[in-house]
Amino acid sequence: MPDGITSPSQRRPQPQALTLVLPPSGGEGDLRAFVRTLRMGWRWLLAGWLGGLALAMAGLWTVTPAYTAAMVIGPTARVGSAAMGARVPTLSGRDSAGVAEPGAGDESLSDFARYLELFGSGPVAERLARDPDILRALFPDRWDAEEGRWRPPPGLLPMLKRGLLALVGREDWVEPDGDRVTRALRERLVVDMLRSGPMRRITFRHADRATAVDLLGRIAAATDAHLRAEAARRSAAQIAHIKLRLGAVTVAEHRQALSDLLLDQERVAMMIGVDLPFAADLIQPPTAGALPDWPNPAVVVPLAGLVGLVAAAFGLSARQALKDQGIGVEAVP
């Protein structure tokens, strides 16, 4: 065929690709055609919006509302009228600056950082798991109060879960342990920073208001008690070691240095035993609102209506795109 001459097959209109972008219709742009499609399918949009609202309200009726207990903590104060005071005394010798477990003020990992890291997890969760009241409060659906024993949770979804686990040769857990306590607390505990400062807001969610407030306070107390016990153990070990060395050293200068170290460690042990917060000061005690705040209907219902509206608009766009695709294919001889 000579150059410059177009074959009849090349003059035929090519079908549009399968896409959600509407092809121009009658000189209309994509946006105008999309708006026209939505205007023509307003009934579908209304149905999607109402359907989203209905699903949200049905979900709110099925979900158990929960209370959120909150507390504000900060690093233990060293100075001031409400402070515990420095646990590590001002040492005259440079070599004894970092002997005590709490460490000096320039340590890389502070007691407060350890407190936030261990809050409700690790050894603290193991400590909490030894309290039957805490276990029953965290897992009320697995505790049979009439028979006084742990049981698998009732319901269709837990039954399906146990069936799936049985298919692969596994079993669902029945009696909770420290690992289950860690997982449960990780799902419900939230730690937020306040105004880019050292203070933190810790929140805990539970279906019962009094239980939420009580559990949050118990978790905080258990974390502080664990760090205090660890510091006391280290200090006692160092005191015992220094006393052992004193019995074997005869050089006067060495005995004086060890005596100074022993005096410092005994001061540290005395400050650890003070009945004050060890790693974190309680700025605001655990409190919770009088009404449940999760889930929030003022947020869930409008958001569900918007999702239903968007889903209906997407369905209309896809339907129109498929319809135009079919018309384009039929138009090709």
Side-chain angles (χ1 to χ4, degrees):
M1 180 177 295
D3 296 339
I5 299 177
T6 305
S7 63
S9 61
Q10 293 177 345
R11 298 194 189 104
R12 296 173 181 172
Q14 298 296 325
Q16 297 285 342
L18 182 58
T19 177
L20 294 181
V21 179
L22 296 177
S25 177
E28 293 181 340
D30 291 340
L31 180 59
R32 184 176 299 179
F34 179 71
V35 173
R36 180 174 56 85
T37 302
L38 295 182
R39 189 189 309 164
M40 295 176 59
W42 66 270
R43 293 182 179 85
W44 291 97
L45 297 177
L46 181 61
W49 178 66
L50 294 177
L53 296 180
L55 289 177
M57 288 185 289
L60 290 174
W61 277 104
T62 57
V63 173
T64 303
Y67 298 82
T68 301
M71 62 183 292
V72 178
I73 60 173
T76 305
R78 299 292 189 261
V79 295
S81 58
M84 177 180 179
R87 292 190 301 276
V88 180
T90 303
L91 304 179
S92 57
R94 182 178 58 182
D95 297 336
S96 60
V99 175
E101 185 275 338
D106 58 351
E107 64 180 358
S108 58
L109 184 61
S110 65
D111 294 327
F112 188 63
R114 297 170 190 249
Y115 181 93
L116 294 177
E117 182 65 26
L118 292 176
F119 196 88
S121 63
V124 176
E126 295 288 347
R127 179 189 291 260
L128 295 172
R130 292 194 289 267
D131 191 337
D133 294 336
I134 293 180
L135 294 180
R136 296 166 189 169
L138 285 176
F139 309 101
D141 57 335
R142 292 178 175 267
W143 175 251
D144 191 344
E146 296 180 356
E147 299 184 6
R149 63 181 181 86
W150 296 99
R151 64 177 182 185
L156 179 59
L157 292 180
M159 186 181 300
L160 292 176
K161 178 183 177 182
R162 291 194 295 270
L164 292 176
L165 290 176
L167 291 177
V168 296
R170 298 174 58 185
E171 296 181 358
D172 190 17
W173 64 277
V174 178
E175 185 173 356
D177 53 8
D179 180 65
R180 295 297 169 181
V181 172
T182 300
R183 296 186 185 184
L185 294 180
R186 188 184 299 119
E187 295 175 356
R188 305 184 189 185
L189 284 171
V190 178
V191 180
D192 296 322
M193 180 182 296
L194 293 182
R195 294 182 292 276
S196 301
M199 293 189 297
R200 300 290 189 273
R201 175 183 283 111
I202 303 180
T203 58
F204 178 76
R205 191 174 64 246
H206 196 274
D208 183 73
R209 180 182 180 276
T211 302
V213 174
D214 180 66
L215 281 180
L216 187 57
R218 290 195 179 194
I219 297 169
T223 306
D224 196 82
H226 170 75
L227 292 175
R228 186 191 298 273
E230 183 65 14
R233 181 187 66 83
R234 289 173 177 259
S235 181
Q238 293 178 15
I239 290 175
H241 178 73
I242 295 173
K243 288 183 177 180
L244 181 63
R245 295 297 300 166
L246 274 174
V249 173
T250 58
V251 181
E253 292 81 1
H254 293 175
R255 290 186 60 85
Q256 183 61 40
L258 289 175
S259 298
D260 294 340
L261 286 176
L262 180 60
L263 180 61
D264 293 337
Q265 285 302 313
E266 288 178 345
R267 292 175 180 174
V268 171
M270 180 180 64
M271 294 305 298
I272 290 175
V274 176
D275 188 16
L276 287 173
F278 177 79
D281 273 329
L282 192 61
I283 309 301
Q284 176 182 318
T287 57
L291 298 175
D293 54 2
W294 184 92
N296 189 359
V299 176
V300 174
V301 174
L303 184 60
L306 179 61
V307 171
L309 189 65
V310 172
F314 181 82
L316 283 174
S317 177
R319 178 173 175 271
Q320 185 64 31
L322 293 174
K323 181 179 178 181
D324 293 342
Q325 175 69 17
I327 294 175
V329 173
E330 293 177 357
V332 177

